[in-house]
Amino acid sequence: DAGVIQSPRHEVTEMGQEVTLRCKPISGHDYLFWYRQTMMRGLELLIYFNNNVPIDDSGMPEDRFSAKMPNASFSTLKIQPSEPRDSAVYFCASSFFSGYYGYTFGSGTRLTVV
Amino acid sequence: GQQLNQSPQSMFIQEGEDVSMNCTSSSIFNTWLWYKQEPGEGPVLLIALYKAGELTSNGRLTAQFGITRKDSFLNISASIPSDVGIYFCAGHYNTDKLIFGTGTRLQVFP
């Protein structure tokens, strides 16, 4: 199994530009989670899906953030327009049967907005 | 969002020393998990605990599910330089999502 695959690994963009982060979960996993990690705030849950349906997006910071999961093997997190304070590492994770057996995390996307 | 309290926040130890860290919650959990995050990578699951009082080992790592179900402990024996990283606890209780701890940053000096 290739694990959770995220792309790109690194993204540098200018303030105001649109950014799209991508995630391919592990085949057979029915939950997908998007997290943001910063030194100040640690790991923050942004949104999660169950069977491709968004369940809880209360962690999405503001309307500039949106996430989709069009099918079981792909999800995107979009930021538009991006701001310097969005600079962070964004992780995607997937799991089978909610969190009982834990999540498998991707390697993350390091986003820098200048 | 809710986070679990981990202590210590950071540790600077010498190679060969034993390490202890813990995680506490105001709520009970049915599952406790411990993750390690190495620089530039995502967290990786180390140990999963499913029963109060349970003690589980994975090599030099030993974790315990607290009897009150509100805490968990992780010990690393005879630390080595590759133990460097951030250790996270996570709890699960009949919901879809895990609640993560604030992390313990471990630095090991040769």
Side-chain angles (χ1 to χ4, degrees):
Chain A
D1 197 331
V4 176
I5 300 172
Q6 290 187 248
S7 64
R9 282 301 307 270
H10 303 273
E11 177 82 37
V12 180
T13 190
E14 291 186 347
M15 183 173 65
Q17 296 297 306
E18 176 182 300
V19 175
T20 300
L21 311 182
R22 296 172 175 80
C23 175
K24 176 178 169 56
I26 290 175
S27 176
H29 281 190
D30 54 352
Y31 283 84
L32 184 139
F33 305 83
W34 281 100
Y35 279 87
R36 178 171 68 177
Q37 186 178 38
T38 61
M39 287 291 290
M40 292 296 294
R41 301 170 73 97
L43 273 171
E44 296 177 274
L45 177 63
L46 301 177
I47 185 172
Y48 75 94
F49 297 81
N50 177 220
N51 291 323
N52 313 336
V53 176
I55 302 300
D56 183 354
D57 65 354
S58 60
M60 296 286 260
E62 44 198 277
D63 292 345
R64 297 184 297 106
F65 286 68
S66 62
K68 293 182 180 179
M69 191 165 185
N71 57 62
S73 58
F74 184 65
S75 178
T76 60
L77 178 68
K78 185 178 293 186
I79 308 172
Q80 181 186 19
S82 57
E83 296 182 4
R85 60 192 167 123
D86 301 331
S87 298
V89 181
Y90 291 81
F91 288 104
C92 174
S94 70
S95 72
F96 172 69
F97 193 55
S98 72
Y100 184 78
Y101 297 111
Y103 306 160
T104 301
F105 283 83
S107 296
T109 295
R110 180 173 293 278
L111 174 64
T112 303
V113 183
V114 298
Chain B
Q2 183 186 356
Q3 281 187 324
L4 304 175
N5 295 315
Q6 277 188 252
S7 65
Q9 234 179 343
S10 58
M11 302 182 74
F12 299 86
I13 62 168
Q14 202 150 20
E15 184 177 0
E17 289 184 7
D18 296 342
V19 173
S20 292
M21 60 188 79
N22 66 67
C23 188
T24 59
S25 168
S26 56
S27 308
I28 62 173
F29 289 108
N30 288 336
T31 302
W32 281 97
L33 304 159
W34 285 91
Y35 283 84
K36 178 189 177 187
Q37 183 180 20
E38 296 186 1
E41 296 297 328
V44 173
L45 183 64
L46 298 173
I47 291 178
L49 302 156
Y50 295 104
K51 188 177 176 182
E54 178 182 356
L55 192 71
T56 296
S57 294
N58 179 4
R60 294 178 296 105
L61 277 61
T62 301
Q64 184 163 24
F65 192 137
I67 198 72
T68 66
R69 297 168 63 192
K70 292 183 178 182
D71 54 11
S72 181
F73 309 89
L74 177 69
N75 295 314
I76 305 173
S77 62
S79 60
I80 58 178
S82 62
D83 290 333
V84 164
I86 305 174
Y87 291 79
F88 291 98
C89 63
H92 182 258
Y93 180 78
N94 293 347
T95 64
D96 289 338
K97 57 189 179 184
L98 294 176
I99 306 299
F100 279 88
T102 49
T104 293
R105 190 177 295 269
L106 177 64
Q107 187 65 257
V108 180
F109 296 102

